[in-house]
Amino acid sequence: MNGYQLDWWAVLSGQPREWLFSGIWMTFRLTVFSSLLATVIAVILLAMRLTTSRLLQGIAASYITVFRNTPLAVQFLFWYFGVIPLLPELWRDWLNETHIYAGFTFPSMELIAGIWGLGLFSAAFIAEELRAGVRAVSAGQFEAARSQGLSAWQTLRYVILPQALANSWQPLIGQYLNLMKNSTLAMSIAVAELCYQVNQIESYNLHAIEAFAVGSLIYLLLGLFLSSSLDAFGRVIFKHKRSHSHG
Amino acid sequence: MIEFKQVNKHFGSLHVLQDINLTVKEGEVTVICGPSGSGKSTLIRTINQLESISAGDIWVDGKSIFDPSRSLNALRKEIGFVFQQFNLYPHLSVLENITLAPRKLNNLSAAAAETKALELLEQVGLSDKRHQYPAQLSGGQQQRVAIARALAMEPRVLLFDEPTSALDPEMIGEVLSVMKKLAHSGITMMVVTHEMGFAREVADQVVFIDHGQIIEQAVPHTFFHHPQHARAQQFLQQLLNPLHVQEVLL
């Protein structure tokens, strides 16, 4: 190893350890809030694509085309350097202040831009997975619900979406995992998430191997935690998928 | 109760329904039969607008279904529909299948909707299946749940689209007997079916459709014993005596 001595403690103690914890917390917030935002937008996009309005269908399809076919890093830079300076000064002041909601503080415009950028990007992918799940639901399900007098939204909410979710649950888990991993790109707009902090440790004490190895391990654990909890959640909520035995 | 006035439907170059005029009286049972592809399913699907029409008018309850003052979802609440493929909601239990619409559309409480659902399950003989999922039931049981689901909205009209065609022969009886119990209980029924026994025993009128046209319309006795039109005679022969069709035609 060219005489290089691995020193894990240099990464796991003192200032570097604080940075790691702060990075994990930031990655966690970025992932959770982006996932929520992405899910809401994805459901809206799905609803738009299922309407009979050509205009709404077109808007949703264009959204998905644009956000899926441009790099996330460019999108982050676009929002952060392109759009935020165009906002009215009052809004920017508000964004720069510290806000506390439900125990979460939002001290930085960077985090908000990160959640926004990552949420909008991931929504396009999640919407596509949901649409694939909807396509696998038989036309008879739409007809049954509509023939009962349920509105288009009630049909989607109570009949189609639960089945579409069950159909596309595994690929959806993959999309939420991608979202978590893509959150590393938010470092390009100075969101101090885990990857940003690991990089900072490397600049601070030059323990590159240890820093990036520890960073990778933490991402691996976060990923395993995320996918196994979503998997377990799916097994609880999609009860009917477990009861096909009698056929 | 239901009145078709000069109804036409084109599907591309296909003339699916041709000049349909038909009256169904309140509380009566109308059986619609005819060869496959004749337009009989399309006909009943136009009543709750699962299918559109190209020309003509359909009246339900003294008013056109296309009247702008009439909401489609309100109309559909009044008209139960039973599908050939059952179309139960696979992610919901039997009880939830039945209570979904009453809870969401009539704002019935969960408890009230369940009480009603249990009565209906009793009526179709499936009280013990309330917590099962559709995939755990036989075809006949699923169709009986589907009938209970349609009844849960207390509709004034029930439409059946070949309710027994997807069933194994030994399950047809259980579904037909539920339908027979419903007949003449106040609810208006239109039944697309090949079950001529049901038509003979239960129907108030039988309508024979071929190539999108009503060829024959009569009370069961007349239809079965004195069919006027050659195509109706041939159809009955095929259905009632399939082994000896050729002899008659020759």
Side-chain angles (χ1 to χ4, degrees):
Chain A
M1 266 217 155
N2 288 336
Y4 182 81
Q5 291 294 312
L6 288 174
D7 181 5
W8 297 101
W9 204 238
V11 172
L12 296 172
S13 63
Q15 181 66 49
R17 184 171 65 183
E18 276 172 39
W19 284 336
L20 281 178
F21 280 129
S22 138
I24 292 170
W25 177 229
M26 184 64 93
T27 290
F28 178 78
R29 279 185 292 173
L30 190 54
T31 303
V32 168
F33 288 104
S34 300
S35 297
L36 293 175
L37 179 64
T39 305
V40 170
I41 298 173
V43 170
I44 294 171
L45 289 171
L46 180 71
M48 287 167 75
R49 296 200 99 169
L50 293 176
T51 60
T52 47
S53 154
R54 285 280 160 82
L55 179 70
L56 291 178
Q57 287 174 0
I59 293 172
S62 315
Y63 177 102
I64 289 167
T65 305
V66 169
F67 282 87
R68 283 212 315 166
N69 294 295
T70 52
L72 176 58
V74 177
Q75 292 183 25
F76 273 133
L77 299 174
F78 173 81
W79 295 118
Y80 188 66
F81 293 110
V83 175
I84 289 181
L86 296 180
L87 295 176
E89 204 169 320
L90 266 173
W91 293 23
R92 268 184 289 151
D93 288 346
W94 186 86
L95 285 172
N96 268 323
E97 281 166 29
T98 300
H99 300 280
I100 302 175
Y101 290 115
F104 288 97
T105 46
F106 281 97
S108 77
M109 177 127 58
E110 287 70 31
L111 177 56
I112 292 170
I115 290 168
W116 177 259
L118 187 56
L120 265 66
F121 174 81
S122 308
F125 292 86
I126 292 170
E128 282 298 271
E129 298 295 0
L130 286 177
R131 196 162 72 108
V134 168
R135 275 214 212 98
V137 177
S138 79
Q141 292 292 306
F142 285 90
E143 289 193 341
R146 298 314 302 277
S147 78
Q148 286 202 284
L150 294 173
S151 69
W153 171 250
Q154 287 171 324
T155 299
L156 182 64
R157 164 73 183 76
Y158 299 111
V159 177
I160 306 303
L161 206 48
Q163 296 183 57
L165 272 179
N167 291 337
S168 54
W169 194 244
Q170 288 306 322
L172 275 172
I173 292 177
Q175 291 302 344
Y176 287 104
L177 267 179
N178 282 342
L179 182 153
M180 191 273 284
K181 291 181 285 180
N182 285 336
S183 72
T184 52
L185 281 171
M187 70 185 284
S188 62
I189 55 168
V191 179
E193 43 70 66
L194 182 58
C195 189
Y196 177 101
Q197 298 290 19
V198 167
N199 203 35
Q200 177 158 280
I201 294 171
E202 192 271 340
S203 325
Y204 175 72
N205 61 18
L206 302 179
H207 284 282
I209 292 184
E210 297 91 326
F212 290 117
V214 167
S216 302
L217 182 68
I218 295 172
Y219 275 114
L220 177 65
L221 294 175
L222 283 175
L224 289 173
F225 172 72
L226 182 64
S227 59
S228 59
S229 7
L230 286 176
D231 201 40
F233 183 62
R235 261 177 279 129
V236 172
I237 61 173
F238 304 127
K239 281 175 285 195
H240 72 284
K241 287 279 173 186
R242 290 181 300 169
S243 43
H244 271 302
S245 44
H246 301 258
Chain B
M1 185 71 193
I2 303 171
E3 210 175 331
F4 288 78
K5 298 180 176 183
Q6 232 15 61
V7 170
N8 279 275
K9 180 181 173 70
H10 296 269
F11 198 82
S13 61
L14 215 65
H15 202 163
V16 192
L17 295 176
Q18 300 186 37
D19 300 327
I20 300 288
N21 290 293
L22 176 64
T23 301
V24 173
K25 292 202 200 94
E26 178 146 19
E28 287 198 349
V29 179
T30 298
V31 163
I32 297 167
C33 59
S36 55
S38 58
K40 53 196 191 302
S41 288
T42 308
L43 180 75
I44 62 164
R45 288 163 58 91
T46 58
I47 300 169
N48 64 356
Q49 293 185 46
L50 286 179
E51 299 275 355
S52 61
I53 62 175
S54 316
D57 204 354
I58 300 169
W59 284 45
V60 173
D61 226 356
K63 209 165 157 192
S64 167
I65 60 170
F66 304 106
D67 192 305
S69 71
R70 193 160 205 174
S71 115
L72 177 56
N73 288 337
L75 175 78
R76 284 171 168 168
K77 279 166 62 177
E78 300 270 297
I79 303 176
F81 200 98
V82 176
F83 297 86
Q84 183 178 359
Q85 300 295 342
F86 333 130
N87 292 342
L88 291 178
Y89 308 131
H91 61 299
L92 300 179
S93 70
V94 164
L95 213 49
E96 292 164 337
N97 261 279
I98 300 172
T99 56
L100 177 69
R103 289 183 61 187
K104 300 305 169 193
L105 297 174
N106 292 349
N107 294 317
L108 229 56
S109 71
E114 272 191 27
T115 308
K116 173 82 187 158
L118 288 174
E119 275 171 34
L120 290 168
L121 280 175
E122 182 84 49
Q123 201 179 328
V124 300
L126 290 171
S127 300
D128 54 328
K129 303 290 184 191
R130 69 185 79 161
H131 296 304
Q132 308 266 22
Y133 284 86
Q136 297 170 299
L137 304 179
S138 71
Q141 291 169 335
Q142 289 192 55
Q143 193 62 298
R144 285 188 280 155
V145 173
I147 293 172
R149 178 177 70 174
L151 290 171
M153 290 301 287
E154 301 181 339
R156 305 186 52 205
V157 177
L158 256 189
L159 306 174
F160 295 83
D161 186 5
E162 305 209 28
T164 57
S165 300
L167 297 178
D168 290 333
E170 75 271 21
M171 294 173 183
I172 292 175
E174 62 191 65
V175 172
L176 289 180
S177 73
V178 166
M179 290 166 60
K180 194 178 160 188
K181 271 195 283 177
L182 281 173
H184 307 113
S185 67
I187 201 162
T188 308
M189 288 169 53
M190 283 183 83
V191 185
V192 172
T193 186
H194 293 295
E195 295 299 328
M196 291 301 112
F198 179 83
R200 204 189 314 239
E201 213 173 306
V202 180
D204 295 292
Q205 66 171 340
V206 180
V207 175
F208 176 74
I209 297 190
D210 196 11
H211 293 111
Q213 288 172 309
I214 293 182
I215 304 285
E216 191 131 357
Q217 180 182 355
V219 296
H221 183 85
T222 313
F223 179 74
F224 287 109
H225 297 288
H226 313 288
Q228 302 298 305
H229 201 283
R231 271 190 275 171
Q233 291 164 7
Q234 184 187 342
F235 176 78
L236 281 172
Q237 182 65 33
Q238 283 165 341
L239 229 58
L240 301 175
N241 203 359
L243 277 178
H244 301 100
V245 174
Q246 293 307 321
E247 294 166 25
V248 174
L249 292 181
L250 284 171

